[in-house]
Amino acid sequence: MERQLQEPSHIAPSELEVPEELSRRRLRSRLLFALGLLAVVVALVALLPGLGTLRSRLTHAQPGWLVLGVGLKLLSGLGYVVVFRMIFCRRMSWRVSYQIGMSELGANALFPTGGAGGLALGAWALKRGGMAGREIARRTVAFFLLTSVPNVVGVIVLGLALAVGVLGGEGNLLLTAAPAAVAAGAIVAALLAGRVAERWGVRLKEGAGHEPSRRVRALWKGLTAVADGVQEAVTLLREGNLLLVLGLLAYLVFDVLILWATFHALGGAPSLAILSLAYLIGELGGLIPVPGGIGGVDAGLVGTLALYHVSLTSAAGAVLAYRAIALWVPAVVGGAAFVTLRRTLRNEAEQLAVCVPQSEMEVIGLGRVVVRAESH
């Protein structure tokens, strides 16, 4: 097939600007809010009566276990970076993948609602690199679904194993088989959502005419992203890529082990099976829109652990230590990654441009061009 050269298209200045929700002002305000909320939590723990046992546990925490927790969070973050690269662009350099992935984790720590802030940052970086909006939307849906798969499968496996007695520690079917059934239903619902979205999208497009309204176009794009994203997620799972699977497992497993480490730091821990199942269920509190899930995740984890017969004092102390690690390690590391990411996007945009179907490259004698296949 013959190939021809053409001048690279120009990017509008507005596409190069950092979105308002990711601006320095918004990031600074979120950081200050997180600091203030942390100060309130510390003050409540230090001053409220009846929390003497909790204060004693936190005061006598073993630092070695906490340092291990920090290391586990970094390993979990590296798993996130691997998943990001394998889903969004496998030709992207590992350096840029690390910068975007860690920046996303930092944004997730400061912005609310299930990691939406981090995904918005990644979408902005990829758009600057030239990736089409529909492609970003499709892969973002796939990313969200795939990072949820280990959580859902974990609930099914652990719930059934505890229910039938393969793992000891809990025999109540409401706390074992029921969560497993709900998780299995969630998988079916996700697959059905993709099919329903595809059908509704086709009907909406056919009934909208030649000049659909802005609302109809937005709804159609959303339905298309869901339908394409579910299909993309299924395709990636069927591919069975070992690196993607290991990244997904690392992102979840190392994060669960942080909670295991903080329990040991404060003295004693429930069985790993009970702790893991409680973690997977309790993490649903992260959907409550507060920075880093502070409060929502904490209450969900403590409440779920209490249901599995873990003492409130032990659970509260371990969860508070876990939250401190899970919030501030990504915020610090991700903040540094974001600074280098902005520098990279300013000086080396070609690192991201390799993800565009019409790749931009340097041709001797002609400068920077886009090489595209000529259609026949």
Side-chain angles (χ1 to χ4, degrees), residues 320-338:
L320 283 175
Y322 162 83
R323 175 55 46 209
I325 293 172
L327 177 64
W328 290 109
V329 171
V332 173
V333 177
F338 185 52

Side-chain angles (χ1 to χ4, degrees), residues 189-219:
L191 296 174
L192 289 177
R195 295 183 179 182
V196 171
E198 183 178 8
R199 293 174 183 173
W200 286 2
V202 172
R203 293 177 183 176
L204 186 65
K205 187 176 182 180
E206 292 176 348
H210 296 292
E211 296 183 3
S213 65
R214 180 179 299 179
R215 177 180 296 180
V216 170
R217 289 198 302 270
L219 180 58

Side-chain angles (χ1 to χ4, degrees), residues 115-204:
L119 291 177
L121 189 151
W124 163 74
L126 292 168
K127 187 175 181 181
R128 277 201 60 169
M131 185 175 284
R134 179 170 178 174
E135 184 75 6
I136 294 173
R138 175 171 67 90
R139 293 182 181 273
T140 297
V141 173
F143 183 90
F144 178 81
L145 291 174
L146 288 177
T147 51
S148 302
V149 166
N151 300 58
V152 177
V153 173
V155 172
I156 295 174
V157 172
L158 290 173
L160 292 179
L162 288 167
V164 300
V166 174
L167 295 175
E170 181 58 61
N172 189 334
L173 294 181
L174 288 176
L175 298 176
T176 55
V182 172
I187 294 178
V188 176
L191 296 174
L192 289 177
R195 295 183 179 182
V196 171
E198 183 178 8
R199 293 174 183 173
W200 286 2
V202 172
R203 293 177 183 176
L204 186 65

Side-chain angles (χ1 to χ4, degrees), residues 14-356:
S14 59
E15 296 179 354
L16 301 178
E17 296 176 357
V18 180
E20 173 60 25
E21 64 270 20
L22 299 174
S23 65
R24 291 179 179 178
R25 180 181 61 83
R26 289 291 298 276
L27 289 172
R28 189 183 303 113
S29 65
R30 287 291 180 180
L31 181 60
L32 291 175
F33 180 81
L35 284 170
L37 196 57
L38 180 63
V40 170
V41 172
V42 172
L44 291 175
V45 172
L47 300 176
L48 285 178
L51 298 180
T53 304
L54 176 59
R55 286 191 287 269
S56 177
R57 282 179 175 269
L58 292 173
T59 302
H60 296 89
Q62 300 179 42
W65 284 103
L66 298 179
V67 172
L68 175 61
V70 172
L72 290 168
K73 187 59 185 178
L74 292 174
L75 291 174
S76 175
L78 292 177
Y80 184 97
V81 170
V82 171
V83 174
F84 173 86
R85 185 177 186 274
M86 299 307 296
I87 292 177
F88 282 97
C89 180
R90 299 180 184 184
R91 290 178 291 171
M92 182 184 296
S93 73
W94 280 105
R95 180 169 63 87
V96 176
S97 299
Y98 172 85
Q99 291 170 354
I100 297 179
M102 284 300 184
S103 296
E104 285 193 358
L105 286 176
N108 290 343
L110 298 177
F111 286 88
T113 316
L119 291 177
L121 189 151
W124 163 74
L126 292 168
K127 187 175 181 181
R128 277 201 60 169
M131 185 175 284
R134 179 170 178 174
E135 184 75 6
I136 294 173
R138 175 171 67 90
R139 293 182 181 273
T140 297
V141 173
F143 183 90
F144 178 81
L145 291 174
L146 288 177
T147 51
S148 302
V149 166
N151 300 58
V152 177
V153 173
V155 172
I156 295 174
V157 172
L158 290 173
L160 292 179
L162 288 167
V164 300
V166 174
L167 295 175
E170 181 58 61
N172 189 334
L173 294 181
L174 288 176
L175 298 176
T176 55
V182 172
I187 294 178
V188 176
L191 296 174
L192 289 177
R195 295 183 179 182
V196 171
E198 183 178 8
R199 293 174 183 173
W200 286 2
V202 172
R203 293 177 183 176
L204 186 65
K205 187 176 182 180
E206 292 176 348
H210 296 292
E211 296 183 3
S213 65
R214 180 179 299 179
R215 177 180 296 180
V216 170
R217 289 198 302 270
L219 180 58
W220 177 77
K221 288 181 180 179
L223 291 171
T224 301
V226 171
D228 292 348
V230 172
Q231 185 177 2
E232 178 76 8
V234 173
T235 300
L236 289 170
L237 282 177
R238 287 177 176 174
E239 182 186 25
N241 184 279
L242 181 60
L243 200 55
L244 174 60
V245 174
L246 291 177
L248 290 169
L249 291 176
Y251 178 48
L252 172 65
V253 171
F254 287 126
D255 205 61
V256 174
L257 290 177
I258 299 170
L259 186 60
W260 170 81
T262 58
F263 263 107
H264 280 284
L266 302 178
S271 70
L272 191 56
I274 292 296
L275 186 149
S276 299
L277 185 58
Y279 169 95
L280 295 173
I281 298 173
E283 279 288 314
L284 294 176
L287 297 177
I288 299 175
V290 293
I294 300 175
V297 171
D298 302 335
L301 281 174
V302 173
T304 309
L305 286 165
L307 287 176
Y308 288 95
H309 315 296
V310 179
S311 72
L312 279 175
T313 301
S314 179
V319 168
L320 283 175
Y322 162 83
R323 175 55 46 209
I325 293 172
L327 177 64
W328 290 109
V329 171
V332 173
V333 177
F338 185 52
V339 171
T340 59
L341 173 64
R342 294 185 65 167
R343 186 180 303 116
T344 296
L345 292 175
R346 184 171 61 248
N347 300 328
E348 302 179 10
E350 66 272 14
Q351 293 285 341
L352 289 173
V354 296
C355 297
V356 187

